[in-house]
PDB file of all heavy atoms in Angstrom:
ATOM      1  N   GLN A   1       0.830  -1.210   0.000  1.00  0.00           N
ATOM      2  CA  GLN A   1       0.000   0.000   0.000  1.00  0.00           C
ATOM      3  C   GLN A   1       0.861   1.255   0.000  1.00  0.00           C
ATOM      4  O   GLN A   1       0.537   2.249  -0.670  1.00  0.00           O
ATOM      5  CB  GLN A   1      -0.930  -0.009   1.206  1.00  0.00           C
ATOM      6  CG  GLN A   1      -1.950  -1.142   1.185  1.00  0.00           C
ATOM      7  CD  GLN A   1      -2.889  -1.094   2.368  1.00  0.00           C
ATOM      8  OE1 GLN A   1      -3.396  -0.049   2.742  1.00  0.00           O
ATOM      9  NE2 GLN A   1      -3.132  -2.249   2.977  1.00  0.00           N
ATOM     10  N   LEU A   2       1.960   1.227   0.738  1.00  0.00           N
ATOM     11  CA  LEU A   2       2.867   2.371   0.743  1.00  0.00           C
ATOM     12  C   LEU A   2       3.443   2.618  -0.647  1.00  0.00           C
ATOM     13  O   LEU A   2       3.459   3.757  -1.137  1.00  0.00           O
ATOM     14  CB  LEU A   2       4.002   2.129   1.740  1.00  0.00           C
ATOM     15  CG  LEU A   2       3.653   2.257   3.222  1.00  0.00           C
ATOM     16  CD1 LEU A   2       4.767   1.681   4.083  1.00  0.00           C
ATOM     17  CD2 LEU A   2       3.399   3.710   3.598  1.00  0.00           C
ATOM     18  N   PHE A   3       3.904   1.550  -1.300  1.00  0.00           N
ATOM     19  CA  PHE A   3       4.444   1.685  -2.658  1.00  0.00           C
ATOM     20  C   PHE A   3       3.366   2.168  -3.627  1.00  0.00           C
ATOM     21  O   PHE A   3       3.628   3.016  -4.495  1.00  0.00           O
ATOM     22  CB  PHE A   3       5.005   0.348  -3.145  1.00  0.00           C
ATOM     23  CG  PHE A   3       6.414   0.092  -2.688  1.00  0.00           C
ATOM     24  CD1 PHE A   3       6.736  -1.074  -2.003  1.00  0.00           C
ATOM     25  CD2 PHE A   3       7.413   1.004  -2.944  1.00  0.00           C
ATOM     26  CE1 PHE A   3       8.033  -1.309  -1.588  1.00  0.00           C
ATOM     27  CE2 PHE A   3       8.714   0.774  -2.530  1.00  0.00           C
ATOM     28  CZ  PHE A   3       9.027  -0.391  -1.847  1.00  0.00           C
ATOM     29  N   TYR A   4       2.159   1.620  -3.491  1.00  0.00           N
ATOM     30  CA  TYR A   4       1.096   1.951  -4.441  1.00  0.00           C
ATOM     31  C   TYR A   4       0.706   3.429  -4.329  1.00  0.00           C
ATOM     32  O   TYR A   4       0.563   4.129  -5.343  1.00  0.00           O
ATOM     33  CB  TYR A   4      -0.124   1.069  -4.178  1.00  0.00           C
ATOM     34  CG  TYR A   4      -1.202   1.201  -5.232  1.00  0.00           C
ATOM     35  CD1 TYR A   4      -1.106   0.518  -6.437  1.00  0.00           C
ATOM     36  CD2 TYR A   4      -2.308   2.031  -5.032  1.00  0.00           C
ATOM     37  CE1 TYR A   4      -2.072   0.642  -7.409  1.00  0.00           C
ATOM     38  CE2 TYR A   4      -3.277   2.167  -6.006  1.00  0.00           C
ATOM     39  CZ  TYR A   4      -3.159   1.474  -7.191  1.00  0.00           C
ATOM     40  OH  TYR A   4      -4.116   1.609  -8.155  1.00  0.00           O
ATOM     41  N   ILE A   5       0.520   3.903  -3.090  1.00  0.00           N
ATOM     42  CA  ILE A   5       0.099   5.297  -2.911  1.00  0.00           C
ATOM     43  C   ILE A   5       1.223   6.260  -3.280  1.00  0.00           C
ATOM     44  O   ILE A   5       0.978   7.323  -3.871  1.00  0.00           O
ATOM     45  CB  ILE A   5      -0.367   5.516  -1.461  1.00  0.00           C
ATOM     46  CG1 ILE A   5      -1.707   4.788  -1.239  1.00  0.00           C
ATOM     47  CG2 ILE A   5      -0.511   7.003  -1.142  1.00  0.00           C
ATOM     48  CD1 ILE A   5      -2.253   4.897   0.164  1.00  0.00           C
ATOM     49  N   TYR A   6       2.468   5.887  -2.978  1.00  0.00           N
ATOM     50  CA  TYR A   6       3.575   6.813  -3.239  1.00  0.00           C
ATOM     51  C   TYR A   6       3.990   6.818  -4.711  1.00  0.00           C
ATOM     52  O   TYR A   6       4.163   7.891  -5.308  1.00  0.00           O
ATOM     53  CB  TYR A   6       4.769   6.432  -2.371  1.00  0.00           C
ATOM     54  CG  TYR A   6       5.938   7.380  -2.488  1.00  0.00           C
ATOM     55  CD1 TYR A   6       5.870   8.670  -1.968  1.00  0.00           C
ATOM     56  CD2 TYR A   6       7.122   6.994  -3.122  1.00  0.00           C
ATOM     57  CE1 TYR A   6       6.943   9.542  -2.068  1.00  0.00           C
ATOM     58  CE2 TYR A   6       8.202   7.855  -3.228  1.00  0.00           C
ATOM     59  CZ  TYR A   6       8.099   9.130  -2.704  1.00  0.00           C
ATOM     60  OH  TYR A   6       9.162   9.989  -2.808  1.00  0.00           O
ATOM     61  N   TYR A   7       4.115   5.638  -5.303  1.00  0.00           N
ATOM     62  CA  TYR A   7       4.621   5.559  -6.666  1.00  0.00           C
ATOM     63  C   TYR A   7       3.515   5.546  -7.719  1.00  0.00           C
ATOM     64  O   TYR A   7       3.652   6.176  -8.770  1.00  0.00           O
ATOM     65  CB  TYR A   7       5.501   4.308  -6.832  1.00  0.00           C
ATOM     66  CG  TYR A   7       6.801   4.393  -6.087  1.00  0.00           C
ATOM     67  CD1 TYR A   7       7.005   3.653  -4.920  1.00  0.00           C
ATOM     68  CD2 TYR A   7       7.830   5.217  -6.526  1.00  0.00           C
ATOM     69  CE1 TYR A   7       8.205   3.729  -4.226  1.00  0.00           C
ATOM     70  CE2 TYR A   7       9.028   5.297  -5.830  1.00  0.00           C
ATOM     71  CZ  TYR A   7       9.205   4.554  -4.689  1.00  0.00           C
ATOM     72  OH  TYR A   7      10.390   4.649  -3.994  1.00  0.00           O
ATOM     73  N   ALA A   8       2.423   4.816  -7.448  1.00  0.00           N
ATOM     74  CA  ALA A   8       1.359   4.711  -8.450  1.00  0.00           C
ATOM     75  C   ALA A   8       0.422   5.915  -8.412  1.00  0.00           C
ATOM     76  O   ALA A   8       0.083   6.488  -9.456  1.00  0.00           O
ATOM     77  CB  ALA A   8       0.562   3.416  -8.234  1.00  0.00           C
ATOM     78  N   LEU A   9      -0.010   6.297  -7.204  1.00  0.00           N
ATOM     79  CA  LEU A   9      -0.950   7.411  -7.077  1.00  0.00           C
ATOM     80  C   LEU A   9      -0.265   8.734  -6.752  1.00  0.00           C
ATOM     81  O   LEU A   9      -0.885   9.787  -6.868  1.00  0.00           O
ATOM     82  CB  LEU A   9      -1.982   7.104  -5.977  1.00  0.00           C
ATOM     83  CG  LEU A   9      -2.872   5.884  -6.213  1.00  0.00           C
ATOM     84  CD1 LEU A   9      -3.858   5.742  -5.063  1.00  0.00           C
ATOM     85  CD2 LEU A   9      -3.611   5.987  -7.537  1.00  0.00           C
ATOM     86  N   GLY A  10       0.993   8.672  -6.343  1.00  0.00           N
ATOM     87  CA  GLY A  10       1.709   9.892  -5.974  1.00  0.00           C
ATOM     88  C   GLY A  10       1.718  10.964  -7.044  1.00  0.00           C
ATOM     89  O   GLY A  10       1.403  12.133  -6.775  1.00  0.00           O
ATOM     90  N   PRO A  11       2.069  10.609  -8.297  1.00  0.00           N
ATOM     91  CA  PRO A  11       2.065  11.642  -9.350  1.00  0.00           C
ATOM     92  C   PRO A  11       0.678  12.228  -9.606  1.00  0.00           C
ATOM     93  O   PRO A  11       0.557  13.405  -9.948  1.00  0.00           O
ATOM     94  CB  PRO A  11       2.565  10.877 -10.581  1.00  0.00           C
ATOM     95  CG  PRO A  11       3.357   9.742 -10.027  1.00  0.00           C
ATOM     96  CD  PRO A  11       2.644   9.340  -8.765  1.00  0.00           C
ATOM     97  N   LEU A  12      -0.373  11.421  -9.435  1.00  0.00           N
ATOM     98  CA  LEU A  12      -1.732  11.917  -9.652  1.00  0.00           C
ATOM     99  C   LEU A  12      -2.195  12.790  -8.494  1.00  0.00           C
ATOM    100  O   LEU A  12      -2.810  13.842  -8.701  1.00  0.00           O
ATOM    101  CB  LEU A  12      -2.689  10.735  -9.835  1.00  0.00           C
ATOM    102  CG  LEU A  12      -2.413   9.805 -11.024  1.00  0.00           C
ATOM    103  CD1 LEU A  12      -3.379   8.643 -11.016  1.00  0.00           C
ATOM    104  CD2 LEU A  12      -2.521  10.586 -12.342  1.00  0.00           C
ATOM    105  N   LEU A  13      -1.899  12.346  -7.268  1.00  0.00           N
ATOM    106  CA  LEU A  13      -2.333  13.088  -6.081  1.00  0.00           C
ATOM    107  C   LEU A  13      -1.321  14.133  -5.639  1.00  0.00           C
ATOM    108  O   LEU A  13      -1.612  14.930  -4.745  1.00  0.00           O
ATOM    109  CB  LEU A  13      -2.584  12.110  -4.922  1.00  0.00           C
ATOM    110  CG  LEU A  13      -3.613  11.007  -5.181  1.00  0.00           C
ATOM    111  CD1 LEU A  13      -3.702  10.082  -3.980  1.00  0.00           C
ATOM    112  CD2 LEU A  13      -4.984  11.619  -5.479  1.00  0.00           C
ATOM    113  N   ARG A  14      -0.154  14.106  -6.265  1.00  0.00           N
ATOM    114  CA  ARG A  14       0.933  15.034  -5.931  1.00  0.00           C
ATOM    115  C   ARG A  14       1.288  14.933  -4.450  1.00  0.00           C
ATOM    116  O   ARG A  14       1.389  15.941  -3.736  1.00  0.00           O
ATOM    117  CB  ARG A  14       0.548  16.469  -6.297  1.00  0.00           C
ATOM    118  CG  ARG A  14       0.346  16.670  -7.804  1.00  0.00           C
ATOM    119  CD  ARG A  14       0.042  18.108  -8.143  1.00  0.00           C
ATOM    120  NE  ARG A  14      -0.131  18.281  -9.571  1.00  0.00           N
ATOM    121  CZ  ARG A  14      -0.419  19.446 -10.164  1.00  0.00           C
ATOM    122  NH1 ARG A  14      -0.557  20.549  -9.411  1.00  0.00           N
ATOM    123  NH2 ARG A  14      -0.552  19.521 -11.472  1.00  0.00           N
ATOM    124  N   LEU A  15       1.510  13.713  -4.006  1.00  0.00           N
ATOM    125  CA  LEU A  15       1.859  13.459  -2.612  1.00  0.00           C
ATOM    126  C   LEU A  15       3.352  13.210  -2.488  1.00  0.00           C
ATOM    127  O   LEU A  15       3.937  12.470  -3.271  1.00  0.00           O
ATOM    128  CB  LEU A  15       1.101  12.236  -2.083  1.00  0.00           C
ATOM    129  CG  LEU A  15      -0.406  12.381  -1.924  1.00  0.00           C
ATOM    130  CD1 LEU A  15      -1.016  11.071  -1.474  1.00  0.00           C
ATOM    131  CD2 LEU A  15      -0.738  13.483  -0.925  1.00  0.00           C
ATOM    132  N   LYS A  16       3.956  13.833  -1.497  1.00  0.00           N
ATOM    133  CA  LYS A  16       5.362  13.587  -1.197  1.00  0.00           C
ATOM    134  C   LYS A  16       5.464  12.513  -0.116  1.00  0.00           C
ATOM    135  O   LYS A  16       4.467  11.890   0.255  1.00  0.00           O
ATOM    136  CB  LYS A  16       6.032  14.880  -0.760  1.00  0.00           C
ATOM    137  CG  LYS A  16       6.062  15.938  -1.859  1.00  0.00           C
ATOM    138  CD  LYS A  16       6.802  17.179  -1.414  1.00  0.00           C
ATOM    139  CE  LYS A  16       6.843  18.226  -2.544  1.00  0.00           C
ATOM    140  NZ  LYS A  16       7.555  19.452  -2.126  1.00  0.00           N
ATOM    141  N   GLY A  17       6.661  12.320   0.412  1.00  0.00           N
ATOM    142  CA  GLY A  17       6.907  11.229   1.344  1.00  0.00           C
ATOM    143  C   GLY A  17       6.007  11.177   2.559  1.00  0.00           C
ATOM    144  O   GLY A  17       5.210  10.236   2.714  1.00  0.00           O
ATOM    145  N   PRO A  18       6.071  12.161   3.473  1.00  0.00           N
ATOM    146  CA  PRO A  18       5.272  12.093   4.703  1.00  0.00           C
ATOM    147  C   PRO A  18       3.766  12.021   4.469  1.00  0.00           C
ATOM    148  O   PRO A  18       3.092  11.170   5.071  1.00  0.00           O
ATOM    149  CB  PRO A  18       5.686  13.362   5.458  1.00  0.00           C
ATOM    150  CG  PRO A  18       7.058  13.662   4.958  1.00  0.00           C
ATOM    151  CD  PRO A  18       7.050  13.261   3.517  1.00  0.00           C
ATOM    152  N   PRO A  19       3.180  12.877   3.606  1.00  0.00           N
ATOM    153  CA  PRO A  19       1.735  12.753   3.375  1.00  0.00           C
ATOM    154  C   PRO A  19       1.330  11.408   2.796  1.00  0.00           C
ATOM    155  O   PRO A  19       0.299  10.840   3.181  1.00  0.00           O
ATOM    156  CB  PRO A  19       1.431  13.890   2.389  1.00  0.00           C
ATOM    157  CG  PRO A  19       2.529  14.878   2.591  1.00  0.00           C
ATOM    158  CD  PRO A  19       3.728  14.064   2.896  1.00  0.00           C
ATOM    159  N   ALA A  20       2.134  10.871   1.884  1.00  0.00           N
ATOM    160  CA  ALA A  20       1.822   9.562   1.305  1.00  0.00           C
ATOM    161  C   ALA A  20       1.891   8.470   2.360  1.00  0.00           C
ATOM    162  O   ALA A  20       1.051   7.558   2.397  1.00  0.00           O
ATOM    163  CB  ALA A  20       2.793   9.252   0.158  1.00  0.00           C
ATOM    164  N   ALA A  21       2.895   8.555   3.237  1.00  0.00           N
ATOM    165  CA  ALA A  21       3.030   7.561   4.301  1.00  0.00           C
ATOM    166  C   ALA A  21       1.855   7.625   5.261  1.00  0.00           C
ATOM    167  O   ALA A  21       1.295   6.591   5.662  1.00  0.00           O
ATOM    168  CB  ALA A  21       4.348   7.788   5.051  1.00  0.00           C
ATOM    169  N   ILE A  22       1.461   8.833   5.637  1.00  0.00           N
ATOM    170  CA  ILE A  22       0.335   9.003   6.562  1.00  0.00           C
ATOM    171  C   ILE A  22      -0.956   8.500   5.931  1.00  0.00           C
ATOM    172  O   ILE A  22      -1.759   7.813   6.581  1.00  0.00           O
ATOM    173  CB  ILE A  22       0.209  10.483   6.975  1.00  0.00           C
ATOM    174  CG1 ILE A  22       1.399  10.886   7.856  1.00  0.00           C
ATOM    175  CG2 ILE A  22      -1.111  10.733   7.696  1.00  0.00           C
ATOM    176  CD1 ILE A  22       1.476  12.371   8.135  1.00  0.00           C
ATOM    177  N   LEU A  23      -1.160   8.799   4.654  1.00  0.00           N
ATOM    178  CA  LEU A  23      -2.370   8.344   3.969  1.00  0.00           C
ATOM    179  C   LEU A  23      -2.426   6.822   3.913  1.00  0.00           C
ATOM    180  O   LEU A  23      -3.465   6.215   4.223  1.00  0.00           O
ATOM    181  CB  LEU A  23      -2.415   8.925   2.559  1.00  0.00           C
ATOM    182  CG  LEU A  23      -3.614   8.499   1.695  1.00  0.00           C
ATOM    183  CD1 LEU A  23      -4.921   8.937   2.342  1.00  0.00           C
ATOM    184  CD2 LEU A  23      -3.490   9.078   0.280  1.00  0.00           C
ATOM    185  N   ALA A  24      -1.320   6.193   3.555  1.00  0.00           N
ATOM    186  CA  ALA A  24      -1.293   4.737   3.430  1.00  0.00           C
ATOM    187  C   ALA A  24      -1.530   4.065   4.779  1.00  0.00           C
ATOM    188  O   ALA A  24      -2.325   3.121   4.887  1.00  0.00           O
ATOM    189  CB  ALA A  24       0.037   4.284   2.843  1.00  0.00           C
ATOM    190  N   MET A  25      -0.858   4.537   5.819  1.00  0.00           N
ATOM    191  CA  MET A  25      -1.014   3.905   7.130  1.00  0.00           C
ATOM    192  C   MET A  25      -2.388   4.174   7.725  1.00  0.00           C
ATOM    193  O   MET A  25      -2.948   3.329   8.428  1.00  0.00           O
ATOM    194  CB  MET A  25       0.091   4.365   8.072  1.00  0.00           C
ATOM    195  CG  MET A  25       1.468   3.851   7.680  1.00  0.00           C
ATOM    196  SD  MET A  25       2.695   3.949   9.007  1.00  0.00           S
ATOM    197  CE  MET A  25       2.762   5.732   9.220  1.00  0.00           C
ATOM    198  N   SER A  26      -2.950   5.346   7.437  1.00  0.00           N
ATOM    199  CA  SER A  26      -4.297   5.654   7.935  1.00  0.00           C
ATOM    200  C   SER A  26      -5.329   4.741   7.291  1.00  0.00           C
ATOM    201  O   SER A  26      -6.219   4.207   7.965  1.00  0.00           O
ATOM    202  CB  SER A  26      -4.644   7.118   7.653  1.00  0.00           C
ATOM    203  OG  SER A  26      -3.750   7.994   8.298  1.00  0.00           O
ATOM    204  N   ILE A  27      -5.211   4.549   5.978  1.00  0.00           N
ATOM    205  CA  ILE A  27      -6.149   3.673   5.272  1.00  0.00           C
ATOM    206  C   ILE A  27      -5.982   2.225   5.728  1.00  0.00           C
ATOM    207  O   ILE A  27      -6.963   1.518   5.973  1.00  0.00           O
ATOM    208  CB  ILE A  27      -5.943   3.791   3.753  1.00  0.00           C
ATOM    209  CG1 ILE A  27      -6.357   5.183   3.274  1.00  0.00           C
ATOM    210  CG2 ILE A  27      -6.726   2.721   3.008  1.00  0.00           C
ATOM    211  CD1 ILE A  27      -6.060   5.444   1.804  1.00  0.00           C
ATOM    212  N   CYS A  28      -4.733   1.781   5.861  1.00  0.00           N
ATOM    213  CA  CYS A  28      -4.475   0.398   6.258  1.00  0.00           C
ATOM    214  C   CYS A  28      -4.999   0.122   7.661  1.00  0.00           C
ATOM    215  O   CYS A  28      -5.767  -0.823   7.876  1.00  0.00           O
ATOM    216  CB  CYS A  28      -2.976   0.105   6.175  1.00  0.00           C
ATOM    217  SG  CYS A  28      -2.534  -1.577   6.667  1.00  0.00           S
ATOM    218  N   TYR A  29      -4.607   0.936   8.612  1.00  0.00           N
ATOM    219  CA  TYR A  29      -5.021   0.688   9.994  1.00  0.00           C
ATOM    220  C   TYR A  29      -6.469   1.085  10.243  1.00  0.00           C
ATOM    221  O   TYR A  29      -7.078   0.634  11.209  1.00  0.00           O
ATOM    222  CB  TYR A  29      -4.084   1.401  10.964  1.00  0.00           C
ATOM    223  CG  TYR A  29      -2.881   0.553  11.289  1.00  0.00           C
ATOM    224  CD1 TYR A  29      -1.783   0.528  10.435  1.00  0.00           C
ATOM    225  CD2 TYR A  29      -2.850  -0.254  12.413  1.00  0.00           C
ATOM    226  CE1 TYR A  29      -0.687  -0.272  10.706  1.00  0.00           C
ATOM    227  CE2 TYR A  29      -1.766  -1.055  12.702  1.00  0.00           C
ATOM    228  CZ  TYR A  29      -0.684  -1.061  11.852  1.00  0.00           C
ATOM    229  OH  TYR A  29       0.390  -1.869  12.115  1.00  0.00           O
ATOM    230  N   GLY A  30      -7.036   1.921   9.377  1.00  0.00           N
ATOM    231  CA  GLY A  30      -8.451   2.216   9.487  1.00  0.00           C
ATOM    232  C   GLY A  30      -9.309   0.975   9.320  1.00  0.00           C
ATOM    233  O   GLY A  30     -10.357   0.827   9.962  1.00  0.00           O
ATOM    234  N   ALA A  31      -8.847   0.049   8.453  1.00  0.00           N
ATOM    235  CA  ALA A  31      -9.589  -1.198   8.257  1.00  0.00           C
ATOM    236  C   ALA A  31      -9.578  -2.051   9.517  1.00  0.00           C
ATOM    237  O   ALA A  31     -10.584  -2.662   9.889  1.00  0.00           O
ATOM    238  CB  ALA A  31      -8.994  -1.973   7.084  1.00  0.00           C
ATOM    239  N   TYR A  32      -8.430  -2.114  10.195  1.00  0.00           N
ATOM    240  CA  TYR A  32      -8.352  -2.869  11.442  1.00  0.00           C
ATOM    241  C   TYR A  32      -9.145  -2.180  12.548  1.00  0.00           C
ATOM    242  O   TYR A  32      -9.788  -2.842  13.376  1.00  0.00           O
ATOM    243  CB  TYR A  32      -6.895  -3.050  11.859  1.00  0.00           C
ATOM    244  CG  TYR A  32      -6.121  -3.959  10.950  1.00  0.00           C
ATOM    245  CD1 TYR A  32      -5.280  -3.453   9.968  1.00  0.00           C
ATOM    246  CD2 TYR A  32      -6.233  -5.345  11.057  1.00  0.00           C
ATOM    247  CE1 TYR A  32      -4.569  -4.290   9.119  1.00  0.00           C
ATOM    248  CE2 TYR A  32      -5.535  -6.195  10.219  1.00  0.00           C
ATOM    249  CZ  TYR A  32      -4.707  -5.653   9.250  1.00  0.00           C
ATOM    250  OH  TYR A  32      -4.015  -6.495   8.407  1.00  0.00           O
ATOM    251  N   MET A  33      -9.096  -0.852  12.572  1.00  0.00           N
ATOM    252  CA  MET A  33      -9.885  -0.118  13.557  1.00  0.00           C
ATOM    253  C   MET A  33     -11.378  -0.334  13.328  1.00  0.00           C
ATOM    254  O   MET A  33     -12.163  -0.382  14.284  1.00  0.00           O
ATOM    255  CB  MET A  33      -9.563   1.378  13.475  1.00  0.00           C
ATOM    256  CG  MET A  33      -8.163   1.745  13.912  1.00  0.00           C
ATOM    257  SD  MET A  33      -7.884   1.437  15.651  1.00  0.00           S
ATOM    258  CE  MET A  33      -6.193   2.023  15.814  1.00  0.00           C
ATOM    259  N   ALA A  34     -11.778  -0.465  12.071  1.00  0.00           N
ATOM    260  CA  ALA A  34     -13.194  -0.687  11.765  1.00  0.00           C
ATOM    261  C   ALA A  34     -13.690  -1.973  12.412  1.00  0.00           C
ATOM    262  O   ALA A  34     -14.796  -2.032  12.969  1.00  0.00           O
ATOM    263  CB  ALA A  34     -13.399  -0.743  10.248  1.00  0.00           C
ATOM    264  N   GLU A  35     -12.875  -3.014  12.355  1.00  0.00           N
ATOM    265  CA  GLU A  35     -13.264  -4.275  12.974  1.00  0.00           C
ATOM    266  C   GLU A  35     -13.296  -4.170  14.490  1.00  0.00           C
ATOM    267  O   GLU A  35     -14.127  -4.796  15.152  1.00  0.00           O
ATOM    268  CB  GLU A  35     -12.304  -5.384  12.544  1.00  0.00           C
ATOM    269  CG  GLU A  35     -12.496  -5.818  11.103  1.00  0.00           C
ATOM    270  CD  GLU A  35     -13.884  -6.388  10.878  1.00  0.00           C
ATOM    271  OE1 GLU A  35     -14.107  -7.572  11.155  1.00  0.00           O
ATOM    272  OE2 GLU A  35     -14.765  -5.614  10.434  1.00  0.00           O
ATOM    273  N   ILE A  36     -12.410  -3.360  15.052  1.00  0.00           N
ATOM    274  CA  ILE A  36     -12.430  -3.157  16.503  1.00  0.00           C
ATOM    275  C   ILE A  36     -13.699  -2.415  16.918  1.00  0.00           C
ATOM    276  O   ILE A  36     -14.371  -2.801  17.885  1.00  0.00           O
ATOM    277  CB  ILE A  36     -11.171  -2.371  16.942  1.00  0.00           C
ATOM    278  CG1 ILE A  36      -9.927  -3.228  16.749  1.00  0.00           C
ATOM    279  CG2 ILE A  36     -11.294  -1.935  18.395  1.00  0.00           C
ATOM    280  CD1 ILE A  36      -8.631  -2.506  17.050  1.00  0.00           C
TER     281      ILE A  36
END
């Protein structure tokens, strides 16, 4: 997910390192939080 958001979607969303990392981890852990 980190690679996909940074390299695949990064040029489209114009995301740099920290914002891309935060977005990827928020989406990933949001799914686990949803189950909690």
